[in-house]
Amino acid sequence: MVDKTKIFGFLKKFLPRFDLFQILSVIFFTVLNIVFLVIASQKNGFSITDSDICFHFIIKLLFDAAFFLFSMLMLKAVFRINFIPALYVTANVTLAIADILLYYFGNTLVERAHFALITPYSVTSFVPWYGFVALFVFLAAVFFISFFAIRKMPKKDLFKKSLFWLVICLILNLLNVSA
């Protein structure tokens, strides 16, 4: 008979522990991804409830969360400062918001000039000035919250934790390719 304490001890030793910031950041990015996927599906006329599309969207949400945690932990482990991972979090939020705005106000799946929509002139045509002020205040808040939260993250076993999330990314990628 197999001793369960050895198996659970090994799993407990291998699996990383979540802190509050990691859980909240994954929930935040998952909500942003869900908003993006709902807008993209409505604009392009496909249903999220279709089994194939639903499976690939779930894999995308899980992959994005795992890749975000892998990248953030790796940046924290390599640079040992809080500024660079906080910039990474802020850049991810900025790109997610830009994707949401572009898919909401345009149809970038069929438009040839995706980068033409990102120019400041075209973005200012559908976002008012006070929207930009609110967006910049929001991004500054994201940066400062992530900076102070990353500072509180334990520095122990960051490479092991990031390796765990890399393995999860590889498994999800293999699942997505095989389906």
Side-chain angles (χ1 to χ4, degrees):
M1 193 126 167
V2 177
D3 187 18
K4 292 180 183 179
T5 58
K6 287 184 180 181
I7 293 173
F8 289 123
F10 173 74
L11 287 177
K12 188 176 180 181
K13 190 174 163 182
F14 179 70
L15 295 176
R17 292 180 185 230
F18 280 104
D19 62 349
L20 185 61
F21 174 69
Q22 290 175 350
I23 292 171
L24 291 178
S25 61
V26 166
I27 290 171
F28 179 68
F29 279 107
T30 303
V31 167
L32 283 177
N33 275 330
I34 288 172
V35 168
F36 168 71
L37 292 174
V38 167
I39 289 173
S41 69
Q42 289 175 351
K43 288 289 190 168
N44 295 303
F46 56 87
S47 175
I48 296 177
T49 58
D50 183 26
S51 63
D52 289 338
I53 294 173
C54 182
F55 175 75
H56 288 291
F57 280 170
I58 289 172
I59 293 292
K60 180 200 179 321
L61 292 174
L62 293 173
F63 181 83
D64 286 350
F67 186 75
F68 169 74
L69 286 174
F70 160 71
S71 302
M72 186 181 60
L73 291 171
M74 186 58 79
L75 287 172
K76 172 88 172 169
V78 169
F79 292 107
R80 296 286 183 191
I81 59 174
N82 306 325
F83 184 74
I84 294 175
L87 278 177
Y88 175 74
V89 171
T90 308
N92 272 340
V93 170
T94 304
L95 290 175
I97 291 173
D99 277 344
I100 289 170
L101 288 174
L102 290 176
Y103 273 90
Y104 184 74
F105 290 109
N107 189 359
T108 58
L109 284 181
V110 295
E111 290 177 2
R112 292 181 57 187
H114 178 75
F115 290 114
L117 290 172
I118 301 174
T119 61
Y121 174 74
S122 63
V123 172
T124 56
S125 67
F126 54 81
V127 177
W129 67 270
Y130 54 85
F132 278 119
V133 171
L135 183 65
F136 287 131
V137 167
F138 176 72
L139 290 175
V142 165
F143 175 77
F144 286 114
I145 289 170
S146 63
F147 180 80
F148 291 116
I150 289 171
R151 193 172 80 179
K152 301 233 184 230
M153 284 175 50
K155 295 177 183 173
K156 183 181 178 187
D157 297 330
L158 288 174
F159 283 113
K160 184 173 86 171
K161 291 175 185 177
S162 62
L163 180 65
F164 172 79
W165 291 113
L166 179 63
V167 169
I168 297 296
C169 285
L170 292 174
I171 291 170
L172 289 171
N173 200 12
L174 287 174
L175 275 175
N176 197 22
V177 170
S178 66

Short mmCIF file of all heavy atoms in Angstrom, two decimals, residues 21 24-25 28-30 32-33 68 85-101 135-143 146:
data_model
loop_
_atom_site.label_atom_id
_atom_site.label_comp_id
_atom_site.label_asym_id
_atom_site.label_seq_id
_atom_site.Cartn_x
_atom_site.Cartn_y
_atom_site.Cartn_z
N PHE A 21 -1.83 38.70 -3.57
CA PHE A 21 -1.63 39.47 -4.79
C PHE A 21 -1.69 38.59 -6.03
O PHE A 21 -2.27 38.98 -7.04
CB PHE A 21 -0.29 40.20 -4.75
CG PHE A 21 0.04 40.90 -6.03
CD1 PHE A 21 -0.69 42.01 -6.43
CD2 PHE A 21 1.05 40.43 -6.85
CE1 PHE A 21 -0.41 42.65 -7.63
CE2 PHE A 21 1.34 41.07 -8.05
CZ PHE A 21 0.61 42.17 -8.43
N LEU A 24 -5.42 37.75 -6.64
CA LEU A 24 -6.18 38.91 -7.11
C LEU A 24 -5.76 39.34 -8.51
O LEU A 24 -6.60 39.72 -9.32
CB LEU A 24 -6.03 40.07 -6.13
CG LEU A 24 -6.71 39.88 -4.78
CD1 LEU A 24 -6.45 41.07 -3.87
CD2 LEU A 24 -8.20 39.65 -4.94
N SER A 25 -4.48 39.25 -8.82
CA SER A 25 -4.03 39.63 -10.16
C SER A 25 -4.52 38.64 -11.21
O SER A 25 -4.89 39.04 -12.31
CB SER A 25 -2.51 39.77 -10.21
OG SER A 25 -1.89 38.56 -9.89
N PHE A 28 -8.14 39.47 -11.73
CA PHE A 28 -8.25 40.72 -12.48
C PHE A 28 -7.98 40.50 -13.97
O PHE A 28 -8.75 40.94 -14.82
CB PHE A 28 -7.28 41.75 -11.89
CG PHE A 28 -7.29 43.07 -12.59
CD1 PHE A 28 -8.39 43.89 -12.53
CD2 PHE A 28 -6.19 43.48 -13.32
CE1 PHE A 28 -8.40 45.11 -13.18
CE2 PHE A 28 -6.18 44.70 -13.96
CZ PHE A 28 -7.29 45.52 -13.90
N PHE A 29 -6.91 39.79 -14.31
CA PHE A 29 -6.59 39.54 -15.71
C PHE A 29 -7.59 38.58 -16.35
O PHE A 29 -7.88 38.70 -17.54
CB PHE A 29 -5.17 39.01 -15.87
CG PHE A 29 -4.15 40.11 -15.83
CD1 PHE A 29 -3.34 40.27 -14.74
CD2 PHE A 29 -4.05 41.00 -16.88
CE1 PHE A 29 -2.42 41.29 -14.69
CE2 PHE A 29 -3.13 42.03 -16.85
CZ PHE A 29 -2.31 42.18 -15.76
N THR A 30 -8.14 37.68 -15.58
CA THR A 30 -9.16 36.79 -16.12
C THR A 30 -10.43 37.57 -16.45
O THR A 30 -11.04 37.34 -17.50
CB THR A 30 -9.46 35.65 -15.13
OG1 THR A 30 -8.24 34.95 -14.86
CG2 THR A 30 -10.47 34.69 -15.68
N LEU A 32 -10.53 40.77 -17.27
CA LEU A 32 -10.21 41.54 -18.47
C LEU A 32 -10.26 40.66 -19.72
O LEU A 32 -10.78 41.07 -20.76
CB LEU A 32 -8.83 42.19 -18.35
CG LEU A 32 -8.72 43.43 -17.47
CD1 LEU A 32 -7.28 43.89 -17.40
CD2 LEU A 32 -9.61 44.54 -17.97
N ASN A 33 -9.75 39.44 -19.62
CA ASN A 33 -9.79 38.52 -20.77
C ASN A 33 -11.21 38.11 -21.11
O ASN A 33 -11.56 37.96 -22.28
CB ASN A 33 -8.93 37.28 -20.49
CG ASN A 33 -7.49 37.51 -20.84
OD1 ASN A 33 -7.17 38.30 -21.72
ND2 ASN A 33 -6.61 36.83 -20.14
N PHE A 68 1.18 34.76 -17.23
CA PHE A 68 1.35 35.99 -16.45
C PHE A 68 2.11 35.71 -15.16
O PHE A 68 3.05 36.43 -14.81
CB PHE A 68 -0.01 36.62 -16.16
CG PHE A 68 0.05 37.73 -15.17
CD1 PHE A 68 0.57 38.96 -15.52
CD2 PHE A 68 -0.38 37.54 -13.87
CE1 PHE A 68 0.65 39.99 -14.60
CE2 PHE A 68 -0.31 38.56 -12.95
CZ PHE A 68 0.21 39.79 -13.31
N PRO A 85 8.85 44.07 -12.43
CA PRO A 85 7.58 43.32 -12.47
C PRO A 85 6.34 44.21 -12.40
O PRO A 85 5.33 43.89 -13.01
CB PRO A 85 7.66 42.41 -11.24
CG PRO A 85 9.10 42.30 -10.94
CD PRO A 85 9.70 43.59 -11.36
N ALA A 86 6.43 45.33 -11.69
CA ALA A 86 5.30 46.26 -11.64
C ALA A 86 5.06 46.90 -13.01
O ALA A 86 3.91 47.08 -13.42
CB ALA A 86 5.53 47.33 -10.58
N LEU A 87 6.13 47.21 -13.73
CA LEU A 87 5.99 47.71 -15.09
C LEU A 87 5.38 46.65 -16.00
O LEU A 87 4.57 46.96 -16.88
CB LEU A 87 7.34 48.14 -15.66
CG LEU A 87 7.84 49.52 -15.27
CD1 LEU A 87 9.22 49.75 -15.87
CD2 LEU A 87 6.88 50.58 -15.72
N TYR A 88 5.76 45.39 -15.80
CA TYR A 88 5.20 44.29 -16.59
C TYR A 88 3.69 44.16 -16.35
O TYR A 88 2.92 44.00 -17.29
CB TYR A 88 5.92 43.00 -16.24
CG TYR A 88 5.35 41.79 -16.91
CD1 TYR A 88 5.55 41.55 -18.25
CD2 TYR A 88 4.57 40.88 -16.19
CE1 TYR A 88 5.01 40.45 -18.88
CE2 TYR A 88 4.03 39.77 -16.80
CZ TYR A 88 4.25 39.55 -18.14
OH TYR A 88 3.71 38.47 -18.76
N VAL A 89 3.28 44.24 -15.10
CA VAL A 89 1.85 44.16 -14.78
C VAL A 89 1.10 45.32 -15.42
O VAL A 89 0.04 45.14 -16.02
CB VAL A 89 1.64 44.13 -13.25
CG1 VAL A 89 0.18 44.28 -12.89
CG2 VAL A 89 2.22 42.86 -12.65
N THR A 90 1.67 46.53 -15.32
CA THR A 90 1.03 47.70 -15.90
C THR A 90 0.96 47.60 -17.43
O THR A 90 -0.05 47.98 -18.04
CB THR A 90 1.78 48.98 -15.48
OG1 THR A 90 1.92 48.98 -14.04
CG2 THR A 90 1.05 50.22 -15.91
N ALA A 91 2.01 47.09 -18.05
CA ALA A 91 2.00 46.92 -19.51
C ALA A 91 0.94 45.90 -19.92
O ALA A 91 0.25 46.10 -20.93
CB ALA A 91 3.38 46.48 -20.00
N ASN A 92 0.78 44.83 -19.17
CA ASN A 92 -0.26 43.85 -19.48
C ASN A 92 -1.65 44.45 -19.36
O ASN A 92 -2.53 44.17 -20.18
CB ASN A 92 -0.14 42.63 -18.57
CG ASN A 92 0.79 41.60 -19.13
OD1 ASN A 92 1.07 41.58 -20.32
ND2 ASN A 92 1.26 40.71 -18.29
N VAL A 93 -1.87 45.25 -18.33
CA VAL A 93 -3.17 45.91 -18.17
C VAL A 93 -3.41 46.88 -19.32
O VAL A 93 -4.52 46.94 -19.87
CB VAL A 93 -3.25 46.63 -16.80
CG1 VAL A 93 -4.48 47.51 -16.71
CG2 VAL A 93 -3.25 45.62 -15.67
N THR A 94 -2.37 47.62 -19.70
CA THR A 94 -2.51 48.56 -20.81
C THR A 94 -2.86 47.86 -22.11
O THR A 94 -3.76 48.28 -22.84
CB THR A 94 -1.19 49.35 -20.99
OG1 THR A 94 -0.85 49.98 -19.76
CG2 THR A 94 -1.33 50.40 -22.07
N LEU A 95 -2.19 46.74 -22.40
CA LEU A 95 -2.49 46.00 -23.62
C LEU A 95 -3.88 45.37 -23.59
O LEU A 95 -4.58 45.35 -24.60
CB LEU A 95 -1.43 44.93 -23.85
CG LEU A 95 -0.05 45.46 -24.24
CD1 LEU A 95 0.95 44.31 -24.32
CD2 LEU A 95 -0.12 46.20 -25.56
N ALA A 96 -4.29 44.89 -22.43
CA ALA A 96 -5.63 44.31 -22.33
C ALA A 96 -6.70 45.37 -22.54
O ALA A 96 -7.69 45.14 -23.25
CB ALA A 96 -5.80 43.64 -20.97
N ILE A 97 -6.51 46.54 -21.96
CA ILE A 97 -7.48 47.63 -22.13
C ILE A 97 -7.48 48.12 -23.58
O ILE A 97 -8.54 48.40 -24.15
CB ILE A 97 -7.20 48.77 -21.14
CG1 ILE A 97 -7.53 48.31 -19.72
CG2 ILE A 97 -8.00 50.02 -21.49
CD1 ILE A 97 -7.14 49.27 -18.65
N ALA A 98 -6.30 48.20 -24.20
CA ALA A 98 -6.23 48.61 -25.61
C ALA A 98 -6.95 47.60 -26.50
O ALA A 98 -7.68 47.99 -27.42
CB ALA A 98 -4.78 48.75 -26.04
N ASP A 99 -6.77 46.31 -26.24
CA ASP A 99 -7.49 45.30 -27.02
C ASP A 99 -9.00 45.42 -26.83
O ASP A 99 -9.76 45.32 -27.80
CB ASP A 99 -7.04 43.89 -26.62
CG ASP A 99 -5.78 43.48 -27.32
OD1 ASP A 99 -5.42 44.12 -28.33
OD2 ASP A 99 -5.16 42.51 -26.87
N ILE A 100 -9.44 45.64 -25.61
CA ILE A 100 -10.87 45.79 -25.35
C ILE A 100 -11.43 46.99 -26.10
O ILE A 100 -12.47 46.91 -26.75
CB ILE A 100 -11.14 45.89 -23.84
CG1 ILE A 100 -10.89 44.53 -23.17
CG2 ILE A 100 -12.56 46.36 -23.56
CD1 ILE A 100 -10.89 44.59 -21.66
N LEU A 101 -10.73 48.13 -26.04
CA LEU A 101 -11.20 49.33 -26.72
C LEU A 101 -11.20 49.15 -28.24
O LEU A 101 -12.15 49.55 -28.92
CB LEU A 101 -10.33 50.53 -26.34
CG LEU A 101 -10.52 51.08 -24.93
CD1 LEU A 101 -9.50 52.16 -24.63
CD2 LEU A 101 -11.92 51.58 -24.73
N LEU A 135 -8.17 56.74 -17.56
CA LEU A 135 -7.34 55.59 -17.91
C LEU A 135 -5.93 55.73 -17.33
O LEU A 135 -5.38 54.77 -16.77
CB LEU A 135 -7.28 55.42 -19.43
CG LEU A 135 -6.52 54.23 -19.96
CD1 LEU A 135 -7.22 52.94 -19.54
CD2 LEU A 135 -6.40 54.32 -21.45
N PHE A 136 -5.34 56.91 -17.44
CA PHE A 136 -4.00 57.11 -16.89
C PHE A 136 -3.98 57.05 -15.36
O PHE A 136 -3.04 56.53 -14.78
CB PHE A 136 -3.40 58.42 -17.39
CG PHE A 136 -2.99 58.37 -18.83
CD1 PHE A 136 -3.37 59.37 -19.70
CD2 PHE A 136 -2.23 57.32 -19.33
CE1 PHE A 136 -3.00 59.32 -21.04
CE2 PHE A 136 -1.87 57.26 -20.66
CZ PHE A 136 -2.25 58.27 -21.51
N VAL A 137 -5.02 57.56 -14.72
CA VAL A 137 -5.12 57.45 -13.26
C VAL A 137 -5.25 55.98 -12.87
O VAL A 137 -4.62 55.51 -11.91
CB VAL A 137 -6.30 58.29 -12.73
CG1 VAL A 137 -6.61 57.96 -11.28
CG2 VAL A 137 -5.99 59.77 -12.88
N PHE A 138 -6.05 55.23 -13.62
CA PHE A 138 -6.22 53.81 -13.36
C PHE A 138 -4.90 53.06 -13.54
O PHE A 138 -4.52 52.22 -12.72
CB PHE A 138 -7.29 53.24 -14.29
CG PHE A 138 -7.47 51.76 -14.18
CD1 PHE A 138 -8.09 51.21 -13.06
CD2 PHE A 138 -7.02 50.91 -15.17
CE1 PHE A 138 -8.25 49.84 -12.95
CE2 PHE A 138 -7.19 49.54 -15.08
CZ PHE A 138 -7.80 49.00 -13.96
N LEU A 139 -4.17 53.37 -14.62
CA LEU A 139 -2.88 52.70 -14.85
C LEU A 139 -1.85 53.07 -13.78
O LEU A 139 -1.04 52.23 -13.37
CB LEU A 139 -2.36 53.02 -16.25
CG LEU A 139 -3.12 52.40 -17.40
CD1 LEU A 139 -2.59 52.88 -18.73
CD2 LEU A 139 -3.07 50.88 -17.32
N ALA A 140 -1.85 54.31 -13.34
CA ALA A 140 -0.95 54.71 -12.25
C ALA A 140 -1.30 53.96 -10.97
O ALA A 140 -0.41 53.50 -10.24
CB ALA A 140 -1.01 56.22 -12.03
N ALA A 141 -2.58 53.80 -10.70
CA ALA A 141 -3.00 53.04 -9.52
C ALA A 141 -2.59 51.58 -9.64
O ALA A 141 -2.12 50.98 -8.66
CB ALA A 141 -4.52 53.15 -9.33
N VAL A 142 -2.74 51.01 -10.84
CA VAL A 142 -2.31 49.61 -11.05
C VAL A 142 -0.81 49.49 -10.80
O VAL A 142 -0.36 48.54 -10.15
CB VAL A 142 -2.68 49.13 -12.48
CG1 VAL A 142 -1.94 47.86 -12.84
CG2 VAL A 142 -4.17 48.92 -12.57
N PHE A 143 -0.03 50.45 -11.30
CA PHE A 143 1.42 50.39 -11.11
C PHE A 143 1.79 50.45 -9.63
O PHE A 143 2.58 49.64 -9.14
CB PHE A 143 2.12 51.52 -11.86
CG PHE A 143 3.60 51.57 -11.60
CD1 PHE A 143 4.44 50.65 -12.22
CD2 PHE A 143 4.14 52.49 -10.72
CE1 PHE A 143 5.80 50.67 -11.97
CE2 PHE A 143 5.50 52.51 -10.47
CZ PHE A 143 6.33 51.60 -11.09
N SER A 146 0.58 47.30 -7.70
CA SER A 146 1.40 46.13 -8.01
C SER A 146 2.82 46.30 -7.48
O SER A 146 3.44 45.33 -7.05
CB SER A 146 1.41 45.87 -9.52
OG SER A 146 2.00 46.94 -10.21
#
